[in-house]
Amino acid sequence: MTAVATQIQKAKTVLALTSNYAVAYAVKAADVDVVAVYPITPQTTIVEKIAEFVDDGELNADLIHVESEHSAMSAVVGAAAAGARVFTATSSQGLELMHEVLHIASGLRLPVVMAVPARALSAPISIHGDYSDLMNTRDTGWITYIASSAQEVYDTVIQAYRVAESVLLPVMVSYDGFLMSHTTEPVELNDEEEVKRFLPRRERPNVLRPEKPITMGAFAMPDWYYEIKYQVQEALQGSLKTIEEVDEEYGRTFGRRYGVVQTYKMEDADYAIVAYGGASFGNAREAAEIAREKGIKAGVIRLRVFRPFPTSYIVKYLSGVKAFAVVDRAIAFGGPGGGPVFTDVATALWMNGIDVPGISVIHGIGQRSMYVEDFVKIYEMLRDGEKNKVVYMGLRL
Amino acid sequence: MKVVYKAIWDLPVEELFASGHRACAGCGPAIAMRWITKTAGPNTIVVNATGCMEVTTTQYPETAWMVPYIHVAFENSAAAAAGIDSAIRTMTKKGLWKSGKTNVIVIAGDGGTYDIGLQSLSGMLERGHHVLYILYDNEAYMNTGIQRSGGTPRFAWTTTTPVGKAIRGKIQAKKDIMGIVMAHRVPYAATASISNIIDMANKIKTALEYTEEGPTFLHILAPCPPGWRFPEERTVEAARLAVETGYFPLYEYDHGKVRLNPPTSAIVADPKRRKPLREFLKFQGRFAHLTDAEIEELEKEVVANLNYLAKLASL
Ligand SMILES: Cc1ncc(C[n+]2csc(CCOP(=O)(O)OP(=O)(O)O)c2C)c(N)n1
Ligand code: SF4
């Protein structure tokens, strides 16, 4: 027994990687065929690293050095339509420029995988991290993960290919711009042969092949359009099951799994913070410890999967608490709830007849520093009975 | 140009563009589609930009395309084709592409090429993808109801360049798209007209052969009866007059060398053989308002363009 265990131990490679490099290593392990390359901070080091892998012969892929993100998404859509395994990455303005084609990728049911280290949007121009860009894509029909460590980023990109190719939907893997994309953590890499077994090549039924001509991207009149878009909705809702199964199988194979939501001290929590991304989750966990020392039964729920929205989990965890807060790193401008995820959480509860008071906290916009004390304060506000309001935290007024 | 077909009888009998599509009667672009697919053959993937040819041929659950076909959006057909080319090349290397040599052909209108798609076209050409890009030019955004594009000629009436008291049709001249493409130093680019089928078919063949080296381009004039406002039985005649009046010269750019093709070469050699521009303009509603002075102005532009091309051909 021990001998076997040591053997496995020895085979493991652990590297110090930024989340961006973790993506590149996962893409290499996934043996992708086509990568569209276009620079934007904080994404750029992903495609730089992939270019190194290709130039060193470690990855047998074709790089398309496109002239814009619109073309990047279009090129991977074309390549995926021809049956290739594809990858691209972007952030911020690049993601906005892709927006039109994001809908097309899901409408065509193509298993495109993309990494998005999340970043603030212009104007004013900001290269720093928040989730404004990602949140604007929430209704595009993409499966969306938000990872919270470099290790999870690596594991999630590999899982993403398996999920995308199973449910025939595109997948985005997002994480904190700069706070994760440019900070180094230890990452355990999988054996690449084992990854290949985990991601077998299967011929998809609907690809562009001269032997079996099909028409993709047709024009649909009102008698058909609705049904086709409904199928995207059905596939996306149904994908949660696949996401969980893939995560479980990944856990059995490689020893790491994450679930669709992650919780911290929720077993007996009275007050919960719902968060996403690395920095928010880290701070919230630390704050929960401090709050508990102050006698507040604090817990944290992290959304790992944002689309499809894990409604049943949110309902399950929040139905037992006295109050909750959602920390959003994006503003839903002019909306009723302040933050986009708060609005989702509130909707999830309301749709299930659950009336728990909540606070919508906006924080970390344009990478404004988020302090652990800020998160402690959120727990105190919840304890003190504050509810149903929007708090712009860290804002200078 | 590689001469593969000498007469109409030499063209393949097989039809790969089905009848029963929803294009207007007498649609010039639809005529082009038929000959393009026929000439290219079944080992072809078509990437179509948004426009008349897409909406009239792919109404779900039907399709006019008997070759694999994809439409992504309006401005990105060249980028999507680049992705397909890249996929085929890598998957061939990895043993995952089993269809052998496959033509990748973009089909896009003037709006999708001169205007909104210019960036992705330029990127695709610059990177040297193995793609034949075919521009079917009906000289306006027809699918949205006849608005001006960068390919619309001067003085033409469109719904966004109406003929009023102050302004009489489109103000600017037609963009020199061939010049833009040639500036990318592609292996092959050529103009063609649906009135000169054999010339067009041979150019398609030549262009497809050269895609082994890099991107190729065809600019096909394809008149549109409702957009140009002429009776639908005169489409081919309109295209022929465009060539015979020198309005739309036929020429090729082959590895840096410009060559004029018949009948343009004959017109240039003997200007008396050129028909007056009026013959092309006058039966079209979009030019019906032109004064003699305006026709003369356009005629001067036509002659200047022919002289310019003759100079290029002599280099
Ligand atoms: C981004 C975007 N802008 C505008 C449109 C609307 N649109 C669809 S087809 C079209 C005109 C196409 O014109 P052209 O390329 O000349 O082809 P034609 O219709 O003449 O065949 C336009 C403007 C669109 N589909 N996408
Ligand atoms: S409007 Fe013109 S280009 Fe469009 S289908 Fe009709 S004839 Fe063809």
Side-chain angles (χ1 to χ4, degrees):
Chain A
M1 260 327 269
T2 12
V4 175
T6 3
Q7 234 175 3
I8 291 169
Q9 206 78 36
K10 264 191 204 149
K12 283 183 174 154
T13 313
V14 178
L15 296 182
L17 298 177
T18 63
S19 286
N20 277 0
Y21 276 15
V23 170
Y25 274 92
V27 166
K28 173 159 82 83
D31 183 35
V32 302
D33 306 314
V34 174
V35 180
V37 177
Y38 199 80
I40 186 167
T41 306
Q43 173 281 124
T44 314
T45 58
I46 302 174
V47 288
E48 286 175 349
K49 191 71 192 165
I50 292 173
E52 278 178 32
F53 287 144
V54 171
D55 285 0
D56 290 341
E58 289 178 68
L59 171 62
N60 185 2
D62 196 41
L63 300 185
I64 312 183
H65 300 95
V66 283
E67 75 295 337
S68 76
E69 289 88 351
H70 194 284
S71 286
M73 187 43 58
S74 307
V76 294
V77 159
R85 191 173 276 171
V86 302
F87 176 78
T88 191
T90 193
S91 299
S92 189
Q93 304 306 121
L95 192 56
E96 298 297 306
L97 186 56
M98 282 180 181
H99 195 95
E100 180 197 23
V101 198
L102 296 181
H103 283 273
I104 294 168
S106 60
L108 291 178
R109 306 293 301 274
L110 295 173
V112 173
V113 173
M114 171 161 70
V116 180
R119 173 184 148 181
L121 293 174
S122 290
I125 197 163
S126 160
I127 60 157
H128 286 92
D130 71 26
Y131 280 85
S132 307
D133 53 358
L134 187 81
M135 290 300 156
N136 276 354
T137 70
R138 70 185 174 275
D139 300 329
T140 55
W142 283 58
I143 291 170
T144 307
Y145 290 91
I146 306 176
S148 77
S149 72
Q151 181 69 59
E152 188 188 333
V153 166
Y154 174 82
D155 297 327
T156 305
V157 170
I158 293 169
Q159 291 186 11
Y161 281 99
R162 183 68 181 269
V163 171
E165 290 168 14
S166 305
V167 301
L168 299 181
L169 279 175
V171 181
M172 253 178 250
V173 179
S174 187
Y175 46 93
D176 296 13
F178 282 108
L179 297 175
M180 289 173 65
S181 66
H182 285 63
T183 53
T184 305
E185 298 172 62
V187 177
E188 189 180 299
L189 301 182
N190 299 329
D191 174 57
E192 290 195 357
E193 287 309 311
E194 224 169 316
V195 175
K196 283 200 179 87
R197 279 193 291 280
F198 185 77
L199 298 175
R201 295 281 190 163
R202 292 199 195 93
E203 187 136 341
R204 274 182 279 130
N206 294 328
V207 290
L208 301 168
R209 287 282 158 89
E211 305 84 84
K212 194 185 117 219
I214 56 165
T215 289
M216 293 176 84
F219 165 68
M221 291 290 277
D223 57 348
W224 278 108
Y225 179 86
Y226 190 8
E227 279 70 26
I228 294 165
K229 284 297 183 187
Y230 177 72
Q231 285 176 9
V232 174
Q233 168 73 340
E234 256 199 325
L236 189 54
Q237 298 291 11
S239 70
L240 200 63
K241 198 168 158 277
T242 311
I243 290 168
E244 294 189 284
E245 286 165 4
V246 167
D247 187 52
E248 269 167 40
E249 192 186 328
Y250 190 90
R252 282 196 301 278
T253 316
F254 301 108
R256 291 176 302 276
R257 51 170 302 200
Y258 304 89
V260 293
V261 296
Q262 229 178 357
T263 57
Y264 183 73
K265 305 232 158 140
M266 279 305 294
E267 299 72 30
D268 63 340
D270 287 334
Y271 303 100
I273 287 181
V274 180
Y276 50 91
S280 293
F281 188 44
N283 282 357
R285 271 182 306 183
E286 266 191 63
E289 290 292 342
I290 298 167
R292 277 178 179 263
E293 280 164 27
K294 297 185 179 194
I296 306 170
K297 280 192 181 168
V300 189
I301 301 167
R302 174 177 75 93
L303 287 185
R304 175 176 181 245
V305 176
F306 171 53
R307 282 294 180 271
F309 195 76
T311 304
S312 59
Y313 290 92
I314 290 297
V315 167
K316 182 175 121 193
Y317 290 119
L318 288 186
S319 54
V321 301
K322 291 184 181 152
F324 73 92
V326 177
V327 178
D328 263 300
R329 291 191 61 202
I331 303 172
F333 290 108
V341 172
F342 178 83
T343 310
D344 276 356
V345 170
T347 306
L349 295 178
W350 189 82
M351 291 288 279
N352 287 280
I354 290 156
D355 188 11
V356 179
I359 304 175
S360 174
V361 179
I362 310 289
H363 208 342
I365 300 300
Q367 214 171 313
R368 173 62 48 86
S369 293
M370 297 183 291
Y371 299 104
V372 174
E373 301 88 82
D374 298 338
F375 286 75
V376 175
K377 210 164 138 209
I378 297 170
Y379 285 120
E380 288 169 350
M381 285 161 65
L382 292 173
R383 178 203 54 198
D384 296 345
E386 291 193 39
K387 60 176 186 182
N388 302 356
K389 63 177 193 177
V390 183
V391 177
Y392 293 90
M393 215 164 227
L395 178 70
R396 282 195 316 273
L397 277 177
Chain B
M1 175 172 49
K2 201 177 154 217
V3 179
V4 177
Y5 308 115
K6 292 207 170 66
I8 199 89
W9 321 113
D10 299 340
L11 286 166
V13 178
E14 197 182 2
E15 301 288 348
L16 295 170
F17 183 69
S19 56
H21 53 72
R22 290 159 174 82
C24 310
C27 173
I31 295 172
M33 297 310 115
R34 182 179 171 207
W35 300 108
I36 292 165
T37 46
K38 209 184 238 305
T39 313
N43 250 51
T44 298
I45 295 174
V46 165
V47 187
N48 195 184
T50 316
C52 274
M53 282 306 93
E54 170 252 332
V55 299
T56 61
T57 61
T58 69
Q59 191 172 319
Y60 189 85
E62 288 158 13
T63 181
W65 300 89
M66 292 184 253
V67 293
Y69 166 103
I70 186 169
H71 159 256
V72 182
F74 190 20
E75 61 279 48
N76 59 0
S77 47
I84 293 169
D85 166 53
S86 173
I88 293 175
R89 302 245 151 203
T90 328
M91 288 166 75
T92 301
K93 270 192 245 158
K94 292 185 176 182
L96 297 168
W97 183 260
K98 300 190 178 78
S99 311
K101 189 183 153 3
T102 308
N103 304 316
V104 182
I105 301 183
V106 171
I107 294 172
D110 49 291
T113 304
Y114 286 81
D115 298 340
I116 198 165
L118 189 64
Q119 170 186 295
S120 70
L121 168 62
S122 176
M124 189 277 281
L125 297 178
E126 182 256 336
R127 292 188 303 271
H129 288 280
H130 309 275
V131 170
L132 163 58
Y133 189 108
I134 299 182
L135 150 66
Y136 69 88
D137 189 1
N138 54 23
E139 304 200 314
Y141 298 110
M142 296 308 179
N143 184 48
T144 35
I146 325 169
Q147 294 82 33
R148 66 85 87 186
S149 79
T152 304
R154 203 146 76 95
F155 295 140
W157 165 92
T158 70
T159 58
T160 49
T161 56
V163 178
K165 284 204 186 79
I167 296 173
R168 297 171 53 75
K170 193 197 179 201
I171 297 170
Q172 306 83 358
K174 187 178 172 84
K175 215 190 258 189
D176 178 10
I177 193 73
M178 279 292 283
I180 292 170
V181 171
M182 292 188 305
H184 288 75
R185 303 289 183 262
V186 295
Y188 186 77
T191 65
S193 165
I194 57 146
S195 56
N196 297 52
I197 296 296
I198 304 296
D199 174 79
M200 179 167 84
N202 282 321
K203 283 171 173 170
I204 294 166
K205 274 278 181 229
T206 309
L208 283 173
E209 201 159 291
Y210 281 152
T211 55
E212 267 308 306
E213 286 172 47
T216 53
F217 184 85
L218 276 187
H219 178 186
I220 299 178
L221 185 72
C224 161
W228 293 16
R229 300 184 147 186
F230 62 76
E232 65 219 24
E233 69 276 12
R234 295 189 75 176
T235 307
V236 177
E237 186 188 343
R240 177 160 299 119
L241 283 171
V243 174
E244 290 176 350
T245 58
Y247 173 83
F248 192 82
L250 297 183
Y251 62 100
E252 324 167 77
Y253 168 87
D254 187 342
H255 292 88
K257 191 92 188 106
V258 172
R259 194 181 314 120
L260 304 179
N261 309 123
T264 305
S265 44
I267 290 171
V268 168
D270 178 8
K272 284 198 295 295
R273 295 172 79 159
R274 188 174 67 78
K275 289 192 175 163
L277 187 62
R278 179 183 295 269
E279 288 188 27
F280 170 66
L281 301 176
K282 269 310 184 180
F283 71 99
Q284 299 179 43
R286 63 173 178 160
F287 291 121
H289 59 286
L290 291 196
T291 61
D292 286 349
E294 283 161 346
I295 292 177
E296 206 174 307
E297 228 179 286
L298 288 181
E299 188 122 45
K300 271 189 197 143
E301 284 175 15
V302 162
V303 172
N305 187 40
L306 288 174
N307 289 339
Y308 165 73
L309 291 174
K311 269 204 194 102
L312 280 188
S314 71
L315 291 177

